[in-house]
Amino acid sequence: MQLELFVTFLFIQNQVLVATASSSSEEDEDDDKGSSHEHHWGYDDQEGWSSTFQDCRGQSQSPIDIETGKAIYDPSLPHIELEGFDLTGSSALKLQNNGHTLKLSLPSTMRIVKGFDQVYLASQLHFHWGTVAVPGSEHTINNVHFPAEIHVVHYNSKYTNISEAASKRDGLAVLGGFIGIGLHENENYEKILSALKDVSIEASDTDIPGFNVRHLLPNNLEKFYRYQGSLTTPPCFQTVHWTMFNETIMVSRKQLAALEDSLKAGHQLLSKNFRVAQLLHGRRVLASFTSSPSVNKDLSEIKPTFAPIEGQMSRGDMLSIALGALFILTLLAFSVYVYQQRKTYSRSKKHSRENVIYKPATKDDV
Ligand SMILES: [Zn+2]
């Protein structure tokens, strides 16, 4: 009887170990599997990634915080030009829950034809997100997270496949977009999000009809930030030309909630799959544009330089104005009071002087 119990205990323990191990066995930026896949990682232990994956402690890691005031305008940055992104009517695309993200496989007929020294071919796209309470973009703008982020991963056409390219200095180009909450449903995102129920279990996949993938990116591709970085998941290869578009992509609150609440990683909810911002270590962030960024910012973040513009006053600004007005009123009241007092005093002095009988000093007084 005791032996039976012991064997049962061992069996359960083994099952738990197997379940834990299989819950995190794939990377998301890189499609094809390398030797790194024998190792397991999770978002709860980001500090620990570098003990297994050396590159994760490198000096050119991603994501980063983009400080808009420090980004350098580079007019020589070529605009991005895409080809073959409209997959309407073409063969179905594989949508997969790999335990780390929601991933859509893309054909290499989709490519970036202008923007870099070489043509880059698409491999896959995936997302990073948080929870209702925690916005889950990987990159941040002036330390502000967006609700979610899309990454479209491409590899340099001079390499045979993404596996070969992933470890090369000029191997990868990722197009990234910030996802925010708007009033309307985004029908392009719905092409993917409507299939979430079919991939709720980890390692499950489904086919979705081809559609125009260009529409998942912002309308404006001309305004972007560019820097040299890495995969944001192990093995963290520092081989990515990063492009983060300035314009935010809008989805409805309901659509974002579907992304946040539908997928499982093991027995747990798949959420908060974002890496924390990494240090720049002297890297420069370039911008393709000069005007103040149109990335949606909390208005209270904007400090008025001169008079606050109507409609942009924060509670703090209004309080300062009220206090200022109160101070001026007090000063005025005080001035009036002092003036009145002086008047009264001089009048009484005049009266008292009239009553004084002149009395010359005598020697006795000294
Ligand atoms: Zn990613």
Side-chain angles (χ1 to χ4, degrees):
M1 183 62 186
Q2 272 192 332
L3 184 71
E4 257 180 28
L5 269 173
F6 182 62
V7 169
T8 313
F9 171 71
L10 273 183
F11 176 76
I12 291 168
Q13 198 184 35
N14 194 36
Q15 289 298 304
V16 169
L17 280 175
V18 166
T20 315
S22 65
S23 71
S24 53
S25 59
E26 277 184 76
E27 68 199 58
D28 63 278
E29 309 281 9
D30 181 5
D31 249 352
D32 300 60
K33 323 290 177 278
S35 57
S36 56
H37 281 280
E38 289 147 27
H39 306 287
H40 312 296
W41 59 271
Y43 283 98
D44 291 338
D45 177 38
Q46 299 187 23
E47 294 290 313
W49 291 0
S50 55
S51 60
T52 314
F53 308 95
Q54 266 195 9
D55 286 13
C56 298
R57 57 170 169 265
Q59 308 256 300
S60 298
Q61 288 292 291
S62 293
I64 56 160
D65 172 50
I66 297 169
E67 276 185 83
T68 55
K70 287 188 181 170
I72 301 156
Y73 170 53
D74 182 358
S76 70
L77 270 178
H79 288 165
I80 300 278
E81 209 175 299
L82 308 172
E83 267 183 26
F85 271 52
D86 189 356
L87 304 174
T88 313
S90 61
S91 55
L93 303 167
K94 190 171 95 169
L95 185 69
Q96 186 192 5
N97 167 358
N98 69 6
H100 291 308
T101 190
L102 174 69
K103 186 170 88 175
L104 186 69
S105 298
L106 300 172
S108 57
T109 48
M110 276 175 60
R111 58 209 179 271
I112 307 171
V113 291
K114 275 185 194 158
F116 301 99
D117 291 340
Q118 278 96 22
V119 169
Y120 281 76
L121 311 177
S123 169
Q124 48 105 341
L125 66 82
H126 62 265
F127 302 90
H128 300 269
W129 62 90
T131 62
V132 172
V134 181
S137 71
E138 294 214 293
H139 289 86
T140 52
I141 295 280
N142 300 324
N143 287 312
V144 177
H145 278 274
F146 286 77
E149 190 170 324
I150 180 174
H151 290 160
V152 189
V153 184
H154 304 74
Y155 64 96
N156 194 325
S157 58
K158 76 182 188 187
Y159 301 112
T160 318
N161 52 44
I162 193 163
S163 274
E164 189 194 331
S167 59
K168 304 295 189 299
R169 190 188 49 79
D170 57 353
L172 304 173
V174 180
L175 303 181
F178 293 110
I179 299 172
I181 301 168
L183 292 175
H184 309 288
E185 178 176 277
N186 184 322
E187 57 182 63
N188 301 300
Y189 272 72
E190 201 55 26
K191 306 253 160 71
I192 292 177
L193 298 177
S194 61
L196 281 177
K197 57 187 182 310
D198 300 324
V199 290
S200 60
I201 299 161
E202 181 178 346
S204 60
D205 59 64
T206 188
D207 282 345
I208 63 168
F211 63 100
N212 194 342
V213 181
R214 166 66 183 85
H215 292 155
L216 296 179
L217 292 172
N219 289 326
N220 185 338
L221 300 185
E222 290 177 8
K223 292 185 175 185
F224 59 83
Y225 297 98
R226 168 71 49 74
Y227 78 98
Q228 293 305 120
S230 75
L231 303 177
T232 66
T233 56
C236 309
F237 293 146
Q238 303 186 135
T239 56
V240 182
H241 297 303
W242 274 99
T243 304
M244 286 304 302
F245 294 113
N246 181 57
E247 188 185 307
T248 309
I249 305 144
M250 295 299 186
V251 301
S252 70
R253 175 67 251 176
K254 198 178 157 194
Q255 287 182 303
L256 185 70
L259 187 62
E260 290 167 346
D261 299 334
S262 302
L263 307 182
K264 292 271 172 64
H267 296 294
Q268 291 188 324
L269 189 66
L270 172 49
S271 65
K272 291 196 269 187
N273 57 348
F274 61 93
R275 188 187 194 191
V276 296
Q278 305 293 300
L279 294 174
L280 276 177
H281 292 294
R283 278 176 293 171
R284 297 185 314 162
V285 178
L286 304 178
S288 69
F289 59 101
T290 44
S291 56
S292 61
S294 69
V295 170
N296 294 358
K297 260 175 87 175
D298 184 354
L299 285 178
S300 64
E301 294 273 311
I302 300 167
K303 293 183 184 77
T305 38
F306 301 107
I309 304 155
E310 201 185 340
Q312 285 198 356
M313 278 199 293
S314 69
R315 223 179 272 173
D317 296 333
M318 288 194 283
L319 191 68
S320 320
I321 291 167
L323 282 174
L326 195 67
F327 176 70
I328 290 166
L329 275 175
T330 314
L331 201 69
L332 269 172
F334 183 68
S335 306
V336 169
Y337 172 74
V338 168
Y339 177 70
Q340 293 279 2
Q341 285 296 307
R342 276 200 181 165
K343 228 167 141 186
T344 317
Y345 177 65
S346 60
R347 209 179 297 140
S348 65
K349 219 172 157 187
K350 211 171 151 195
H351 281 289
S352 61
R353 230 183 263 137
E354 282 168 4
N355 296 334
V356 170
I357 299 158
Y358 181 67
K359 199 178 153 196
T362 61
K363 271 183 188 172
D364 300 339
D365 287 330
V366 179

